[in-house]
Amino acid sequence: MARTSRTADAPEERSEKAPARPGRARPAEVASRSQEKASRAPKPAQKPRRKRRDAAEAREAILDAAEKRLARGGPASIRLQEVAADVGVSHPTVLHHFGSRELLMKAVIERGFATLHTELVAAIGGSTGGVAELSAMLEAVSHSLSTKGHGRMLLWLALEGHRVSKVDVPLSAVVDAAHGLRSKKRGGKTPVPPREDTAHVVVLAALSLSALSVMGPALLEQVGLANDAAGEARFRAWLAKVLIGHLDLDIEKD
């Protein structure tokens, strides 16, 4: 008896795979989406690479960074961790070089004043004693105290009980240069006042410009003067004439 074929009654075999259930992503699709999201996500900011410097270079770089912060935001803007980040060194490295925030600020002031005093001594040495020359010197001092923020920091350190004394070119060198110019202008014809008198003149100028850098606008306004930059400049020009007159260097009579 012939066998009947089963192929006629058997269901057809499906060669295609059953479709995935709706709502579920295939593993490959999930991985692709994850990679796409990762590529679109903002990358974290990379920390600046730390540069290798010798001790002197590292110290100068830290002072430069602190001085820039001082000029932008005053003494409160100098924070050791932020200064370290600006330079690309560690916080302990800053402490290693300066010991504390206060000592770092003192070092900034001492370096700035050493540079300023050097420039003043050179300017006085080549001066003829004119009002215009002294005015230019006062403007240079004002720039250091006001624009660079040294005046505000100097007063802050004084209030905190810190004295700025370790300066390579001290203020006494400026006194010596001014007194030498005073003697030169007299030419031995008239007696020269004692050096103490010249020192008093330098102290008067230093105190005036230091206070002007912090309280200038308020003081000028209180006495009815213009309290803008032009008003401060006129005060410095007047101060130069007063100093020249006392030192007997007024070869430019107004």
Side-chain angles (χ1 to χ4, degrees), residues 3 13 58 98 129 152 162 223 226:
R3 296 181 180 178
E13 295 181 2
F98 297 98
R152 187 174 298 275
H162 298 285
V223 297

Side-chain angles (χ1 to χ4, degrees), residues 219-244:
L219 290 174
L220 292 174
E221 183 180 16
Q222 288 178 14
V223 297
L225 298 176
N227 64 346
D228 56 3
E232 293 186 16
R234 285 194 293 274
F235 172 79
R236 290 191 294 270
W238 172 87
L239 179 62
K241 293 179 180 179
V242 170
L243 299 178
I244 287 287

Side-chain angles (χ1 to χ4, degrees), residues 44-149:
Q46 295 182 350
K47 295 182 179 180
R49 294 182 178 180
R50 294 178 180 174
K51 300 178 181 179
R52 289 190 175 183
R53 304 179 177 92
D54 60 30
E57 290 174 342
R59 181 181 175 85
E60 288 300 308
I62 293 169
L63 288 173
D64 290 341
E67 188 168 51
K68 288 179 181 178
R69 285 189 166 273
L70 172 65
R72 290 196 303 262
S77 66
I78 299 181
R79 300 179 181 88
L80 296 188
Q81 291 182 340
E82 294 176 359
V83 171
D86 292 344
V87 180
V89 299
S90 65
H91 181 203
T93 298
V94 179
L95 289 174
H96 170 73
H97 285 286
F98 297 98
S100 68
R101 175 174 176 267
E102 289 75 14
L103 292 178
L104 170 61
M105 291 195 288
K106 279 188 65 177
V108 170
I109 289 295
E110 289 168 356
R111 186 183 70 160
F113 281 178
T115 301
L116 178 62
H117 295 168
T118 300
E119 294 173 353
L120 285 175
V121 169
I124 293 172
S127 172
T128 61
V131 174
E133 291 173 325
L134 181 56
S135 294
M137 296 178 204
L138 295 185
E139 290 301 313
V141 175
S142 176
H143 177 73
S144 175
L145 294 174
S146 300
T147 307
K148 292 186 176 182

Side-chain angles (χ1 to χ4, degrees), residues 131-251:
V131 174
E133 291 173 325
L134 181 56
S135 294
M137 296 178 204
L138 295 185
E139 290 301 313
V141 175
S142 176
H143 177 73
S144 175
L145 294 174
S146 300
T147 307
K148 292 186 176 182
H150 290 165
R152 187 174 298 275
M153 181 179 285
L154 178 65
L155 294 181
W156 182 87
L157 288 171
L159 291 173
E160 291 294 315
H162 298 285
R163 296 181 60 184
V164 178
S165 56
K166 296 180 180 179
V167 179
D168 293 338
V169 182
L171 192 59
S172 60
V174 178
V175 175
D176 292 338
H179 198 63
L181 175 62
R182 199 175 188 183
S183 302
K184 179 181 177 182
K185 292 294 294 183
R186 292 181 180 250
K189 297 179 181 179
T190 56
V192 180
R195 181 185 179 278
E196 181 183 39
D197 185 78
T198 305
H200 286 164
V201 171
V202 173
V203 170
L204 173 62
L207 289 175
S208 298
L209 295 178
S210 297
L212 188 67
S213 69
V214 178
M215 301 180 293
L219 290 174
L220 292 174
E221 183 180 16
Q222 288 178 14
V223 297
L225 298 176
N227 64 346
D228 56 3
E232 293 186 16
R234 285 194 293 274
F235 172 79
R236 290 191 294 270
W238 172 87
L239 179 62
K241 293 179 180 179
V242 170
L243 299 178
I244 287 287
H246 182 80
L247 295 171
D248 296 326
L249 303 176
D250 52 341
I251 61 173

